[in-house]
Amino acid sequence: MSNLPDSTEVLVIGGGIVGCSIAYHLTKLGIKDVVLLEQNQLTAGTTWHAAGLVGQLRATANLTHLARYTTELFAGLEDETGQATGYRRTGSLSLALNTERLEELNRQASTARAFGIEVQQISAADVSTHWPDVNIEDVCGAVYLPGDGQTNPVDTTQALAAGARKGGALILENQHVEKISTDEGKVLSVTTADGVIKTRKLVIAAGMWSRQLGASIGISIPLQAAEHFYIVTEPMDSLRSGMPTLRVPDEFAYFKEDAGKVLLGAFEPVAKPWSVNGVSKDFAFGTLPEDIDHFEPILELALRRFPKLNTAGIQLFFNGPESFTPDDRYLLGKVPEYDNVFVAAGFNSIGIQSSGGAGKVLAEWIAKDHPPMDLWDVDIRRTFPFQSNRKYLVNRTRETLGLLYAMHWPYHQYETARGARRSPIHDRLIDHGAVMGELAGWERPNWFVRGNNRATYEYSYGKQNWFDDCREECLALRDSVALFDQSSYPVFYLDGIEALTTLNHICANNVDVDTGQIVYTQWLNERGGIEADVTVTRISDNRFMIVSSCASEGRDFQWLTSHIDSKTHAFATNAGSAITILGIMGPLSRDLLSGLTPDDVSDAALPYYQSRDLEIGYARVRVNRLSYVGELGYELYIPTEFAQHVYEEILRVGATFELAHAGYHAMNACRIEKGYRHFGDDIGDEITPYSAGLGFAVDMSKDNFIGRSALKSISNKFAEKLVNIAIKHEDPPLLYHDEPVYADDELVGITTSGMWGHRINRSLGIALLKHDEGVTKKWLASKQFEIEVAGIRYPLDVQLSAFYDPEGRQLKG
């Protein structure tokens, strides 16, 4: 007789450590009607053969926060459930074999301290106190985290399952999902051999089976299984119990003491994707063939690093699959395709250390129907359907596995699966020296080569090889005119008799404006947090053009369409592929535009934040007067078939003004000089427009926009606020993100973005500061601020206004 119930509140598919963590945390929230289905046995697939490393330090502040929670959870899980977990607080060591790696580790250590994680920056000699037999001749330094640990993945999963059962969840093994039934944007039920179970909410946490399971109902879950290798030695007398995990990322390897043996694992630079067309349901506790030749380069380095391996026998050579995503960050959250489906998958070999935090926040997301914190780093809505293309995944996965231990360079560009999305003038930009970066599959010009510079990245934590070229682009923007290819920006249209009413409900600002006027606005959630940052242009009474940002295209279009009632006469279209956007920016941009068109483009005829249809060459082009770089500027929205022609016209006329080409590095530098916010970095769904300094884009006189009630109830609008910062030092370091900020030696915030400001020649950033009594001008003036970069503190200038042209004279000239 089947134990499958007729229905459940939440159905979790997948009995690995992440699926069991989700079920466990759902019951902790009081959601007891939870069913978990595992097609084989708990831990099958990947969990059972994981190395069991539990680290706290991740690439960003938010991911570090989640990893830290996992260590806290595992430390008490055995006492809570009565199920042994094998968890030990052993600590971890990460070695640097060069100064750049040491810079990376030290920067991460500064972030860790900001989150209360105990971290020590130690010398090579100190490494020997933890791993006495390790070769330290070429070690520059290391970072030691005493709070890191190790756990037994199988036992820990069983403990989470026991906790979930104790809380009321039903866990059923040998339940292969044969079919998922859907209707009108919702999942209704799941069918197994034992019957049909209805569910209000579905969670896909099926590990490397998730992509094919999602695809069966039209959900894009871009992940790909790859072979993952480690060896286990025979027992070694020289090892002592509880030695910290030793990572040597410059040699792609980690060493783990386990019951007197060494487990040597690797993240090799070129990986081996596996089972491209899907994984059989019967592959439960299977292994893959040995490949000594593939592992040998790692082993040779390890033998030099830990010479005692030369005399140790190998007890086990293991090869098993794990799944990887296109950007090495896992996939979490509600999918855009369905209103009641959530995903937790693609954990890139860090599933054990991520399981506690990921399970907790996804359970809270399911319970509250919104993320409990800013999870954009891992939100599945950051991905695009084309990234589930098998060829794309195979090519990218060969690279991403190795990137886990590669240098995490600022501005790093992927080398594989490139060229997916291109502007119509892509090749012409290459001819002008463009060095392309990639975002959301788009090839975008990040900078343009000048002089004898090489058209390739030479990475560093300091000033990279494109620094001077970027400066020239910024100075051209300041002094004359430059051109940007902004074709990666998505363009949506909203049409219909009720388009205005619909959009005014979604937008915080008032879009009931005259035809041809542009409105800068945010889309808010019910908590007042920012879901999107857009411009809206009123084209006619019943037609609006919405321009969003490249990386959030899918998220923003889904937000727009999900807030249009099916009975409403309003229709959204994603028209990005039909439009090419070129920006001409700088004090001479009006002169250039005047040379392009017979129409009047004077300040009176085309004022700031106004839009008009103009004749340019043989085309009709919509021109919006606005700028993201803080200079007089215009964005040209060109029908794609006319794009090359209009570009040629711009070059022809622009030659008179010595038109420069400029890239996204220059745009980013200039927008930070102006203090302009960027979604996903400075602003997100947990920060309000008031905290972001965007209160001017909110019209509280409207009575029914989403988030209005939350904004109205905020008693102290300034307890946390984004501010602009500049380092006061003769040789300042560059800022990127997640550097801690101190006021009179008290931690008060962290940077959200940073770059060198070439127009004012300073190292700049934007930071989110917190002060219970208000982040005000008076408070800022009363404190001495410092920023910590790689363990060193530097004094700061901190202000609410922009460092470049705070009055906006250049912009509105």
Side-chain angles (χ1 to χ4, degrees):
M1 181 177 178
S2 171
N3 292 322
L4 193 70
D6 294 331
S7 65
T8 186
E9 173 75 13
V10 183
L11 179 65
V12 180
I13 301 175
I17 193 168
V18 173
C20 290
S21 176
I22 295 165
Y24 168 88
H25 284 96
L26 283 168
T27 64
K28 289 292 184 182
L29 295 174
I31 302 175
K32 300 183 181 298
D33 188 10
V34 178
V35 174
L36 183 150
L37 303 181
E38 164 54 46
Q39 67 180 355
N40 293 293
Q41 295 177 329
L42 296 186
T43 76
T46 296
T47 297
W48 73 274
H49 63 70
L53 307 183
V54 186
Q56 303 169 89
L57 191 55
R58 303 302 306 151
T60 69
N62 285 342
L63 296 184
T64 297
H65 176 77
L66 296 184
R68 181 188 181 191
Y69 169 78
T70 299
T71 64
E72 296 168 350
L73 172 68
F74 287 179
L77 194 58
E78 182 173 338
D79 289 341
E80 177 193 341
T81 64
Q83 163 70 48
T85 63
Y87 177 76
R88 297 182 296 164
R89 188 177 184 268
T90 58
S92 73
L93 276 170
S94 293
L95 307 190
L97 305 187
N98 53 69
T99 56
E100 292 283 16
R101 178 70 73 175
L102 188 60
E103 168 93 356
E104 175 181 288
L105 293 178
N106 287 339
R107 282 178 175 259
Q108 290 177 350
S110 291
T111 301
R113 272 190 286 271
F115 278 82
I117 296 174
E118 185 181 359
V119 57
Q120 300 172 19
Q121 293 157 269
I122 64 175
S123 68
D126 293 327
V127 170
S128 296
T129 64
H130 299 283
W131 275 77
D133 299 314
V134 163
N135 182 350
I136 59 170
E137 289 179 351
D138 56 348
V139 174
C140 298
V143 166
Y144 174 53
L145 284 91
D148 283 0
Q150 302 172 8
T151 199
N152 182 306
V154 172
D155 290 345
T156 305
T157 303
Q158 294 292 353
L160 288 167
R165 292 189 186 99
K166 183 178 179 182
L170 177 63
I171 297 178
L172 300 175
E173 298 178 305
N174 300 307
Q175 293 286 335
H176 172 64
V177 172
E178 298 176 347
K179 179 183 177 182
I180 302 174
S181 298
T182 67
D183 184 52
E184 295 185 354
K186 289 182 178 290
V187 162
L188 302 179
S189 64
V190 166
T191 301
T192 76
D194 285 346
V196 178
I197 177 172
K198 296 178 182 178
T199 185
R200 290 189 60 193
K201 296 179 180 179
L202 177 71
V203 181
I204 298 176
M208 56 189 168
W209 288 272
S210 296
R211 173 164 61 96
Q212 61 207 65
L213 190 61
S216 70
I217 55 172
I219 298 173
S220 172
I221 305 177
L223 56 81
Q224 172 60 49
E227 299 183 34
H228 188 53
F229 303 86
Y230 61 74
I231 63 170
V232 180
T233 70
E234 298 286 354
M236 300 174 64
D237 293 338
S238 61
L239 299 180
R240 66 175 187 271
S241 178
M243 294 174 71
T245 299
L246 177 69
R247 295 183 177 89
V248 192
D250 295 310
E251 295 176 343
F252 325 110
Y254 63 89
F255 300 76
K256 171 193 173 185
E257 181 278 326
D258 190 357
K261 309 169 188 176
V262 168
L263 184 154
L264 169 66
F267 291 97
E268 67 277 17
V270 181
K272 297 179 65 179
W274 175 76
S275 197
V276 175
N277 294 316
V279 183
S280 168
K281 68 181 179 64
D282 299 321
F283 189 88
F285 296 96
T287 61
L288 304 178
E290 296 181 1
D291 189 342
I292 297 293
D293 290 340
H294 186 79
F295 192 75
E296 187 175 21
I298 307 295
L299 183 57
E300 288 180 355
L301 292 172
L303 291 172
R304 288 197 293 270
R305 183 61 50 199
F306 189 52
K308 289 204 170 184
L309 285 179
N310 287 279
T311 56
I314 296 178
Q315 184 182 79
L316 172 68
F317 187 107
F318 184 85
N319 181 9
E322 299 194 9
S323 57
F324 293 83
T325 64
D327 60 5
D328 264 343
R329 289 176 280 146
Y330 51 87
L331 306 172
L332 201 70
K334 183 189 285 189
V335 304
E337 296 90 346
Y338 289 89
D339 190 50
N340 64 338
V341 179
F342 298 80
V343 165
F347 280 86
N348 305 287
S349 285
I350 58 166
I352 304 304
Q353 71 182 46
S354 303
S355 60
K360 179 179 185 291
V361 294
L362 188 64
E364 292 172 352
W365 195 336
I366 293 167
K368 300 176 182 178
D369 204 33
H370 65 77
M373 58 181 288
D374 184 358
L375 293 170
W376 183 236
D377 282 338
V378 293
D379 193 324
I380 191 171
R381 292 174 294 174
R382 77 186 187 276
T383 66
F384 292 80
F386 80 88
Q387 292 176 311
S388 287
N389 175 289
R390 282 171 287 187
K391 181 178 180 180
Y392 176 92
L393 283 171
V394 167
N395 290 339
R396 179 56 64 85
T397 301
R398 289 194 177 103
E399 178 182 10
T400 53
L401 182 149
L403 291 179
L404 288 170
Y405 272 22
M407 286 291 299
H408 297 92
W409 294 115
Y411 312 108
H412 173 264
Q413 301 298 319
Y414 294 104
E415 297 179 0
T416 56
R418 293 291 299 267
R421 307 171 80 182
R422 305 182 196 183
S423 158
I425 62 170
H426 174 271
D427 292 345
R428 307 289 291 275
L429 297 174
I430 295 290
D431 292 341
H432 279 85
V435 179
M436 293 292 176
E438 183 260 347
L439 183 66
W442 278 99
E443 295 294 318
R444 312 197 316 166
N446 277 350
W447 54 286
F448 288 81
V449 171
R450 289 166 175 79
N452 296 320
N453 202 358
R454 297 176 58 219
T456 186
Y457 277 86
E458 297 173 9
Y459 294 118
S460 165
Y461 272 94
K463 297 175 181 177
Q464 297 184 11
N465 64 309
W466 48 265
F467 184 88
D468 290 339
D469 289 333
C470 180
R471 180 185 63 224
E472 293 303 310
E473 294 170 23
C474 293
L475 297 184
L477 280 166
R478 184 192 67 185
D479 300 332
S480 54
V481 61
L483 180 142
F484 290 96
D485 179 11
Q486 299 171 234
S487 301
S488 60
Y489 288 14
V491 178
F492 314 141
Y493 286 102
L494 191 68
D495 296 273
I497 296 171
E498 295 176 278
L500 172 61
T501 303
T502 299
L503 202 52
N504 244 350
H505 176 62
I506 297 171
C507 295
N509 213 344
N510 190 356
V511 297
D512 188 5
V513 294
D514 292 338
T515 296
Q517 186 168 334
I518 307 165
V519 177
Y520 174 55
T521 185
Q522 287 74 48
W523 295 348
L524 309 181
N525 52 46
E526 295 290 358
R527 307 176 310 283
I530 298 172
E531 292 286 346
D533 187 58
V534 302
T535 60
V536 176
T537 303
R538 191 167 195 174
I539 305 299
S540 65
D541 286 351
N542 300 319
R543 182 171 174 80
F544 295 83
M545 181 177 77
I546 302 158
V547 182
S548 177
S549 60
C550 176
S552 59
E553 175 185 354
R555 171 195 179 116
D556 293 350
F557 192 65
Q558 188 268 339
W559 185 266
L560 174 64
T561 56
S562 68
H563 288 89
I564 302 174
D565 189 276
S566 60
K567 298 178 181 179
T568 298
H569 194 273
F571 312 97
T573 305
N574 186 340
S577 296
I579 296 174
T580 297
I581 307 173
L582 300 180
I584 50 175
M585 308 287 167
L588 300 183
S589 58
R590 181 185 290 121
D591 297 331
L592 193 160
L593 182 61
S594 181
L596 288 171
T597 179
D599 298 309
D600 183 4
V601 294
S602 65
D603 187 57
L606 187 55
Y608 183 58
Y609 257 65
Q610 292 290 315
S611 175
R612 284 183 58 194
D613 248 356
L614 302 179
E615 292 182 9
I616 296 181
Y618 303 133
R620 296 288 300 180
V621 175
R622 175 156 295 279
V623 176
N624 281 14
R625 183 179 162 190
L626 47 75
S627 168
Y628 195 48
V629 296
E631 305 287 354
L632 174 68
Y634 305 86
E635 291 180 352
L636 282 58
Y637 297 83
I638 310 160
T640 293
E641 66 270 27
F642 289 97
Q644 293 193 37
H645 167 63
V646 172
Y647 174 68
E648 290 164 357
E649 288 290 292
I650 294 173
L651 293 188
R652 180 182 62 81
V653 177
T656 304
F657 304 98
E658 298 185 349
L659 173 72
H661 284 76
Y664 281 88
H665 289 333
M667 181 178 286
N668 192 44
C670 291
R671 73 97 183 167
I672 291 176
E673 284 179 313
K674 284 292 293 179
Y676 290 157
R677 312 321 190 197
H678 186 261
F679 186 86
D681 294 317
D682 312 303
I683 53 178
D685 55 17
E686 288 299 306
I687 187 170
T688 71
Y690 297 141
S691 293
L694 300 175
F696 65 89
V698 176
D699 187 348
M700 291 296 289
S701 69
K702 296 196 306 175
D703 60 3
N704 68 340
F705 67 86
I706 301 169
R708 184 181 187 279
S709 296
L711 295 186
K712 189 176 180 180
S713 66
I714 296 174
S715 58
N716 183 352
K717 299 176 182 178
F718 308 109
E720 65 173 14
K721 199 169 185 68
L722 287 171
V723 301
N724 302 304
I725 62 174
I727 298 179
K728 296 190 293 185
H729 194 272
E730 61 182 13
D731 185 23
L734 298 181
L735 301 179
Y736 300 110
H737 56 78
D738 295 318
E739 294 97 356
V741 177
Y742 296 84
D744 294 344
D745 209 36
E746 176 189 1
L747 178 68
V748 293
I750 200 163
T751 58
T752 55
S753 56
M755 203 165 185
W756 190 272
H758 291 283
R759 291 178 297 190
I760 61 173
N761 201 32
R762 297 192 70 178
S763 183
L764 303 175
I766 297 174
L768 182 64
L769 303 189
K770 298 182 181 182
H771 177 57
D772 290 342
E773 297 179 7
V775 179
T776 62
K777 286 184 179 180
K778 181 178 180 180
W779 180 73
L780 294 177
S782 70
K783 299 292 182 179
Q784 296 293 320
F785 288 91
E786 293 180 307
I787 191 164
E788 183 177 326
V789 181
I792 302 173
R793 293 193 186 181
Y794 300 86
L796 285 178
D797 286 324
V798 181
Q799 60 190 51
L800 296 174
S801 59
F803 280 97
Y804 179 74
D805 187 26
E807 295 84 14
R809 293 191 181 96
Q810 298 294 109
L811 189 68
K812 299 176 184 178

